[in-house]
Amino acid sequence: MSNSAVLLVGRILLALIFILAGAMKLGDPGGTAGYMTSLGLPMASIGVWVVIAVELLGGIAILVGFKTRQAAYILALFCVVSALLAHFDPNDQIQFTMFLKNLAMAGGYLVLAASGPGDISVDARRG
């Protein structure tokens, strides 16, 4: 398999979680805002829309390879921040696994930011 094909598959796999998560949050923004409030986050009713936009738009950008490096850096930061704010609980195995999953995803996004999207992308078509 060519490097561009591998990068495409990697982008699809990295994008999928955010596109689906953003779509699910869009279906119940009140529930997500409530969860954010339970974490002690201020302005959750506004923050939920920022989260939805980052997840959906960032996920779609990664999927199609548009502004890939920028989107990858944003999503890497998002993964680390959400890991720290929502999942850092070493006493809860599920939350700690989610924390580590977010850090691993951040690593994947940083690798994508460094490598670029490959030839099968909007970025490559745009030159």
Side-chain angles (χ1 to χ4, degrees), residues 38-124:
S38 77
L39 296 173
L41 299 175
M43 300 176 46
S45 61
I46 296 170
V48 67
W49 296 107
V50 173
V51 168
I52 290 169
V54 168
E55 289 182 343
L56 281 176
L57 298 176
I60 291 167
I62 294 295
L63 178 69
V64 300
F66 176 72
K67 303 245 180 212
T68 307
R69 292 178 194 271
Q70 298 92 326
Y73 281 124
I74 290 167
L75 290 175
L77 178 64
F78 182 87
C79 286
V80 172
V81 169
S82 63
L84 292 169
L85 293 177
H87 300 298
F88 184 73
D89 185 353
N91 298 317
D92 181 332
Q93 184 177 0
I94 292 173
Q95 286 303 317
F96 198 65
T97 298
M98 297 291 282
F99 171 79
L100 294 173
K101 180 249 333 159
N102 277 31
L103 293 183
M105 287 173 36
Y109 283 113
L110 291 174
V111 169
L112 183 60
S115 68
D119 293 334
I120 308 169
S121 66
V122 171
D123 290 342

Side-chain angles (χ1 to χ4, degrees), residues 7-21:
L7 285 167
L8 174 61
V9 171
R11 288 195 341 258
I12 291 167
L13 295 174
L14 283 167
L16 206 74
I17 193 167
F18 280 120
I19 293 170
L20 294 176

